[in-house]
Amino acid sequence: MLKAILGGVLAAEEASQVYSAFDQIGDIVIIKVPDSLAPRKQVIADAILANVKTAKAVFAQTSPVRGDYRVRDLEFLAGENRTITEYKEHGCRFKVDVAKTYFSPRLSTERQRIAELVGDNEIVVNMFAGVGTYSVVIAKKNKTCKVYSIDSNSVANELCIENARLNKVSDRVIPICGDASEVIKNQLAGVADRVLMPLPERAKDFVDSAVLALKDTGVVHYFAHVKAESKKAAKEQGTADAGEAFRSYLHEIGKTTVVREVGPRIYQIVADVSIQKG
Ligand SMILES: C[S@@+](CC[C@H](N)C(=O)[O-])C[C@H]1O[C@@H](n2cnc3c(N)ncnc32)[C@H](O)[C@@H]1O
């Protein structure tokens, strides 16, 4: 549909550059406009707003996702000038601030996959919880688990509190604002059956903290970025990378999932690493 909409205002090749980098989060559309199309960004945004019925605002992403909080700069182009919206996924509702917090609709399959692995009465530590996406999806799916949800971004933490409430899992999603290493050291050492590390850019820096959070045995979902020539090679590379990251612990890598390509020949992977402490 987007192809058709943009086809009305751009040449086919130009249109493909825009629609491959189009994200809709709730009623907010975020596009990346290549420099060559910068003079036409307003026309593009107006066409999207006029034709995508569920869109109320259009922004251009003007920087990569960056910094500790993994946020991006946005330029308002059309519609309502607001960055807060509500997004629905797997029967859950999320209030998101697309300017002040990290959020990607492209991880929804991985959120569901991990939620399905969580067993009854598990204690989960989500080290980089953002607005609570993984935590809420997990807690909704398994009514007996508890998910400690850490984030150093206070805006994300506030939204995680609100999202836990919106989805009626406040009793089992426990948001904690702070640095994951410090929080684990001071409050969560040895509590977890499962630890999530959804900060692929800095995964290796936090391996010791992830293991510290575990009980004597448990699983760490290790997120990383690897360089590889193909998706198949990325899986092997991801397994090798996880093996290297956990080399000083007794571990076994159960499965490595290639989540998505995040740049030319750069893939995001998640390795499910079983740990035995000892
Ligand atoms: C890539 S985002 C993932 C957020 C969420 N899990 C999701 O998928 O929507 C990483 C998150 O880690 C947080 N973060 C970065 N450094 C941190 C640290 N040292 N301790 C706790 N959270 C941190 C950021 O604020 C950001 O929300």
Side-chain angles (χ1 to χ4, degrees):
M1 184 185 69
L2 188 65
K3 204 171 172 178
I5 294 166
L6 294 175
V9 289
L10 298 173
E13 199 184 310
E14 293 173 332
S16 76
Q17 289 178 282
V18 178
Y19 69 71
S20 63
F22 170 102
D23 267 335
Q24 183 166 357
I25 302 170
D27 59 6
I28 297 180
V29 168
I30 299 173
I31 53 174
K32 285 185 195 154
V33 183
D35 287 346
S36 59
L37 293 178
R40 321 222 8 229
K41 63 189 174 193
Q42 194 60 54
V43 177
I44 296 168
D46 290 342
I48 291 172
L49 193 68
N51 290 283
V52 178
K53 282 196 176 55
T54 50
K56 293 277 189 322
V58 182
F59 288 83
Q61 179 171 334
T62 55
S63 80
V65 170
R66 62 185 180 189
D68 280 350
Y69 297 164
R70 310 307 304 151
V71 292
R72 51 196 161 183
D73 292 341
L74 297 175
E75 179 189 352
F76 171 68
L77 290 179
E80 298 171 19
N81 189 357
R82 63 169 159 81
T83 57
I84 294 182
T85 186
E86 191 176 302
Y87 171 86
K88 293 198 178 85
E89 169 188 300
H90 306 308
C92 302
R93 294 161 61 194
F94 294 102
K95 191 164 167 190
V96 177
D97 186 327
V98 296
K100 294 189 181 146
T101 61
Y102 175 89
F103 183 80
S104 174
R106 296 177 188 223
L107 297 170
S108 98
T109 307
E110 184 57 13
R111 289 193 264 271
Q112 192 65 12
R113 185 189 75 85
I114 291 182
E116 278 166 8
L117 296 174
V118 174
D120 284 347
N121 300 308
E122 275 195 15
I123 305 292
V124 180
V125 170
N126 183 355
M127 292 177 72
F128 310 110
V131 302
T133 41
Y134 282 94
S135 303
V136 168
V137 172
I138 289 171
K140 267 287 224 202
K141 178 111 196 133
N142 184 308
K143 308 283 181 216
T144 60
C145 69
K146 191 173 196 173
V147 193
Y148 292 101
S149 306
I150 309 167
D151 206 285
S152 54
N153 177 353
S154 60
V155 178
N157 185 255
E158 282 303 316
L159 287 168
C160 184
I161 295 171
E162 199 163 338
N163 288 329
R165 210 179 299 129
L166 266 178
N167 292 282
K168 303 189 172 47
V169 289
S170 304
D171 53 335
R172 292 176 302 105
V173 168
I174 296 123
I176 304 173
C177 190
D179 168 70
S181 306
E182 290 298 311
V183 171
I184 288 171
K185 192 171 70 185
N186 298 328
Q187 307 176 42
L188 297 176
V191 306
D193 299 287
R194 187 179 299 276
V195 174
L196 274 60
M197 304 180 69
L199 181 60
E201 298 77 9
R202 293 193 57 205
K204 286 207 172 62
D205 299 344
F206 291 93
V207 163
D208 292 340
S209 299
V211 175
L212 180 64
L214 286 178
K215 296 175 178 168
D216 286 347
T217 59
V219 175
V220 176
H221 298 286
Y222 169 82
F223 291 59
H225 287 157
V226 296
K227 237 178 157 18
E229 288 304 316
S230 65
K231 198 172 168 184
K232 184 166 176 283
K235 195 176 168 104
E236 287 161 19
Q237 189 64 32
T239 304
D241 187 69
E244 173 63 20
F246 288 89
R247 69 186 181 286
S248 45
Y249 299 100
L250 190 55
H251 73 273
E252 194 177 328
I253 299 168
K255 184 177 183 192
T256 301
T257 308
V258 180
V259 180
R260 56 181 178 156
E261 194 173 5
V262 290
R265 289 181 293 284
I266 301 175
Y267 293 86
Q268 183 178 133
I269 63 95
V270 179
D272 303 343
V273 187
S274 296
I275 303 280
Q276 175 120 38
K277 285 159 83 170

